[in-house]
Amino acid sequence: GLVGSEMCIRDRYQRRVHGDLRKQRFGMKLSPYQFIHVKDTNSNITKIVVGPVNYVRQEGEEIMHDKPQNFIILRQNTYCVIADPIAEKKNPKVDKNGSIIVRHGEQEIRTEEEYPEPFPLYPGEILKKIDKLTIVPRDCALQIKANKYFELEDKKVKREAGEEWLIYGPTIYTPRIEEDIGKLIEPIIIEKNCAIKLRARLDCDDSKGKHRSAGEEWLVRDVGHYLLRIHEEFVGKVEGIILTDKIALYLSATRTFKDEYGVQRKAGEEWLITRKTTPIHICEVYETVVKQVEMTVLQKNEYCYKLNPLENGVNQMGKRVLITGPCSFFLGPGEDLDGSIKKNFVLADDEGLLMKAVEKFKDPDFGDKKPGDWWMVLGPRNYVPPVEVEVVESRKAIPLDAVEGIYVREYTNGTIRAVTGHTYILQANEELYKKELPSDVNKLLKAAGMPPRAAYSVVTYKVPYNTAVQIYDYKTKESRVAFGPDLVMLNPDEQFTVNYLSGGTPKKTGKLVTLALNLGPNFSTDVIEKVETSDHARLEIRLSYNWKFIYGQGIDGSKIFGVRDCIGDMCSSMASKIRATVATLSFDAFHKSSARTIRRALFGLNKDGHIADGFTFESNNLLVFNADIQNVEPTDENTKISLLKTVTQAIKITTQMQEQEARRLATKIEQEEQGKLDRLIIDNKSNVEMAKKELLQLKSDSSAVKSSGQAIAEANAKAEAAKIAANADVTFASDQSKAKSIKETAEIDYINEKNKVEIEHKKKMNALEIMNAQELATIESSKFKTIMDSIGQQTLIEISNAGPEMQSKMLSSLGLQGYMLMNSDNPVNLFQTAGSMIGMDNVSKQLTS
């Protein structure tokens, strides 16, 4: 494989060498505007051969090109770059050896103006490129940079290496070797109300001749096209800001400069530009828009406080100025509103403002005020507070009914009072006092259905009927009692007395919590446990006490609340009395007269030795006027069983007696009711027989009426049916005759109308056919006449003579005296051929004549 590939490479190389030798041997044929370089291998001098010529290579010569080279043709607005050009343009010079002198390492630009005719490349010259000339449009410029020092032909302009300049359009730029082409600078369009920001790359003069330092920025405001100068750099567009009557610009200076309006601005200075200054503002280079300021508008009955107002261009820091409406203004630099725009205080006759002086000043209505003074501004009036005062709060008169009130506290001495029954507005040294109630009192008030109250409202409580409420004043250390129904209103230092009463059965302390104490009559049920007789029988007694409080005129009502737990105290006292009395008796003795024993123990005996009507507790005037013994039950099982047997036997005897009495009464009642029933049966049977008799009489009368009425009805019905059938037949025959007549008349009318329509249609069709025929005849005649007129009389004659003349000419051209054409479809009679052929000579003569 390696041997084969080496042979292939060697053969390919030999073919190429032999081909080059053959090419070199025979030379080249050069057409016009073609050339080749031929090198003399002996002298090593290269010459140029220009066509048209059929050049034959001489011995010792070498053609430097594989094929003829074309002349360089520069079309309009094109140029080429030649490396190592000849010493002089269009006039090559040779050295002493005969070689053409070239400028090695240099380049030359040739244009169509200098070389309007095609030209060849001399030996040593190299074509680098052919390109179009740069066209600089109107209002544009081409940036050029010198890559080395050179002078123009007139030596008026000298360019240093690195120097830059612009070629302005419209023009066609012809490049130079000493110049490098930069970018094409297009114009920047400056619109109305806009500007462009430029920066100087190097020290230069701007378009208006003003000197600019490197890095300096400025604005160009002239509307139209602007073309950047060589050392100017485009930074960006600056659009104008439209200022309206309601918008201003808050500007700040970044360095000291003079603005567009001729005002000297210092670095850090801030100012406003409004529509009064200019309708559209374009920010200078050293101006910064801090923000857009909207106009502050005060309507009628509005005011505001301006902080840090400007005076002579300087902010008065910490100062406030009152501005009232209607007016409008812009907040200047450093100025601000203290809060927001406020409405004037329009006070009604029941409204007021609590004012506090923060500075010393003189009020035209209230006189001199010192810092810290408080006073009230009462309506009706429209009030605007000056800057020296502070509105602490707005107050409104509180309307109070006769059963409503508020707690008021004075600042000066701290006294608290309740105001009730009339409309009241707080004074300057007063405030609403919040009275707090214990949580259990709040719960009891809510449970009693009292509406929620404000903390400063007077505490009220509706005392229910037949109850009493104790109220304690912690300031005077006195109490008062209110009897229901009544409405209680607490003074600032008063509180309700909460009653914790025993409840349940048996009684337990603190079961009932209430504000109002029931005055009775009422009852309380209690179970007295561990009651022991003298024979040690243990009992449990269930009692219900009826009680009430004794109160009225001349009686101290507060005595009712002398015992904290009146129910518990009553039940405990009564239980102790019962236990003491029962302990002196045996079980049998107590059981025989338990009720009397208990009542005597509870109420005692009066002067007459009888059981008293009740018992009064002197400590709180509680009267127990009755005791209901609901149950007396032994707690010992043996005693309970014995008592149960005795009670059961007594109940059984009583039950038997009641059964016998009931049985006797039932028998008596049964016999009485049976007699009534028998009598009622007899009366009912008599009534039934009378009813049957009446029924039979009615049936007989009904049968007679029924038989006679049926016969009459059948006869009348048959007669009426026959009459109806006859009338129907007559009506049917009459209607049938009318229908037949109408049908025949309609058929006759239909036939007549049909005939008329067909006749009319036939007439119209005939008329149309006649009209059509006439129109066709007229058209044909017109057509024929038109054709004849267009052909002409002479043409018709020539057409008629065209056939014989053509035949005569054709025969004459063929040299025939006569001819005959025939085919199998038209057989010719040959018997007369000879005679006809003899006469053909005469015919031909006539035709030729």
Side-chain angles (χ1 to χ4, degrees), residues 186 205 207 264 343 358 390 428 434 500 673 754 785 831:
E186 296 182 351
D205 294 335
S207 58
Q264 186 72 21
K343 295 284 186 181
V358 295
E390 175 187 351
K434 295 182 180 180
Y500 295 91
E673 295 298 329
K754 182 178 181 182
K785 183 176 182 301
F831 293 102

Side-chain angles (χ1 to χ4, degrees), residues 54-98:
N54 191 2
Y55 180 76
V56 178
R57 183 181 65 86
Q58 303 297 321
E59 187 69 24
E61 291 180 345
E62 180 184 353
I63 299 176
M64 305 303 295
H65 305 288
D66 294 338
K67 60 181 180 179
Q69 301 295 310
N70 294 323
F71 278 32
I72 296 174
I73 300 175
L74 294 179
R75 293 178 174 82
Q76 188 176 5
N77 294 335
T78 59
Y79 72 97
C80 68
V81 179
I82 305 297
D84 301 333
I86 59 177
E88 294 184 10
K89 293 182 179 181
K90 300 182 182 181
N91 187 18
K93 292 182 178 182
V94 296
D95 58 8
K96 60 183 180 178
N97 298 320

Side-chain angles (χ1 to χ4, degrees), residues 248-266:
L249 281 183
Y250 183 0
L251 302 179
S252 175
T254 58
R255 59 173 289 181
T256 302
F257 74 105
K258 182 179 288 187
D259 65 9
E260 182 186 1
Y261 313 110
V263 180
Q264 186 72 21
R265 303 294 183 184
K266 296 181 180 180

Side-chain angles (χ1 to χ4, degrees), residues 11 13-23 25:
D11 293 342
Y13 174 75
Q14 291 177 356
R15 284 196 301 271
R16 187 177 64 184
V17 172
H18 292 313
D20 293 341
L21 291 174
R22 285 196 299 270
K23 187 185 302 183
R25 184 181 299 120

Side-chain angles (χ1 to χ4, degrees), residues 65 220 223 268 426 494 501-502 530 570 618 659 678 751:
H65 305 288
V220 176
V223 178
L426 295 176
E494 289 182 336
L501 304 178
S502 298
K530 299 178 182 180
M570 176 193 69
E618 297 298 334
E659 287 180 354
D678 292 341
I751 293 170

